[in-house]
Amino acid sequence: MGHHGGVRCEVAREALSARIDGEYEGVPSARVDAHLDECASCRAWYALAGRQSEALAGVGEQGAPDLTDTILAGTATSSPGFVGVRRHLRRNIIRIGLTGTGIAQIIIAMLQMTGTDFGMHGEHPTSAHLVNETTAWALALGVCMVVAAWWQRALPGLLVVLSVFTVVLIGYVIHDVAEGAVTLARVLSHLPVLAGLVFAAWGSVPPRPGSAPDDLDLDHWSARSSRGRPAA
């Protein structure tokens, strides 16, 4: 893979795949065309992808020709859909993982509300209030994880909060474990926070230039709904 006309080959091929399908390319067409002028490999790839698309479009009219050899040859030069499949897989792993950890955090908070002992109850007069505060915080974190799973714009903010919280929390956990002041159940109850931090960090990695929008993101839903409403 090279870099011609200010565009990497994988970005150019994803844009060209969208062009063949009649979709938005994600990057200016002029830059993609400049890349094609300089990159013989991508010109060959584009020509092959175009022939495959035309052949598939005519399947219904021409009685389903055998395209096995053509498709296998195209796969050897990087299938047009491979990058998109990998991107959607990453998005779904992050979304499912962050939703799951958020729900786990909410369940922990709900269990604390019902009086489940996670090693925080004590005889000090302020113990009950501390439990209530940590329950509210746990519930807020869980809800934020679920929201960020479906609204990518919230991920950086969640990442900052979870990063600071985790660093401070680890320090306290190490100290309390050394003092014998915390139970194993309480330590394990922090695992959803750590998992949420991992998914938030992964999801905050900027997408590659030219990446298609996330169809399941709340911003995309909002934009699509706005386009569908009639003008006043």
Side-chain angles (χ1 to χ4, degrees):
M1 293 292 179
H3 191 282
H4 305 280
V7 180
R8 294 193 305 273
C9 287
E10 60 266 25
V11 175
R13 293 183 183 188
E14 187 173 354
L16 291 170
S17 177
R19 179 184 296 182
I20 291 172
D21 295 336
E23 300 175 353
Y24 174 60
E25 295 180 26
V27 293
S29 297
R31 292 177 59 190
V32 178
D33 292 337
H35 178 94
L36 278 179
D37 291 340
E38 301 177 12
C39 182
S41 176
C42 284
R43 285 198 302 272
W45 181 94
Y46 184 40
L48 177 61
R51 290 196 298 270
Q52 290 180 10
S53 178
E54 292 175 359
L56 290 173
V59 165
E61 300 175 359
Q62 300 176 5
D66 185 2
L67 302 175
T68 302
D69 293 338
T70 303
I71 293 173
L72 289 177
T75 302
T77 57
S78 181
S79 172
F82 175 74
V83 176
V85 170
R86 183 175 57 186
R87 183 180 63 248
H88 287 299
L89 179 62
R90 171 181 174 272
R91 286 174 178 170
N92 288 331
I93 291 175
I94 294 171
R95 177 167 288 119
I96 293 171
L98 202 52
T99 300
T101 53
I103 292 174
Q105 186 71 13
I106 292 172
I107 291 174
I108 290 173
M110 299 298 290
L111 290 174
Q112 288 184 181
M113 286 181 182
T114 61
T116 301
D117 187 358
F118 283 99
M120 293 187 60
H121 296 283
E123 298 179 357
H124 194 278
T126 62
S127 294
H129 181 67
L130 289 175
V131 171
N132 293 337
E133 285 185 349
T134 57
T135 299
W137 177 243
L139 182 61
L141 282 181
V143 172
C144 288
M145 289 181 197
V146 175
V147 170
W150 300 90
W151 189 30
Q152 191 172 15
R153 194 185 301 183
L155 278 173
L158 176 65
L159 177 61
V160 172
V161 173
L162 288 179
S163 297
V164 176
F165 178 68
T166 301
V167 169
V168 176
L169 179 64
I170 289 175
Y172 278 125
V173 168
I174 293 175
H175 174 272
D176 291 344
V177 168
E179 295 291 326
V182 65
T183 64
L184 178 60
R186 187 60 190 168
V187 173
L188 294 178
S189 71
H190 298 316
L191 290 179
V193 174
L194 296 177
L197 174 62
V198 172
F199 286 116
W202 191 13
S204 297
V205 176
R208 290 182 175 181
S211 294
D214 185 354
D215 293 339
L216 296 179
D217 191 82
L218 291 179
D219 278 339
H220 185 76
W221 287 357
S222 177
R224 186 167 55 186
S225 299
S226 298
R227 290 195 299 269
R229 288 197 297 266

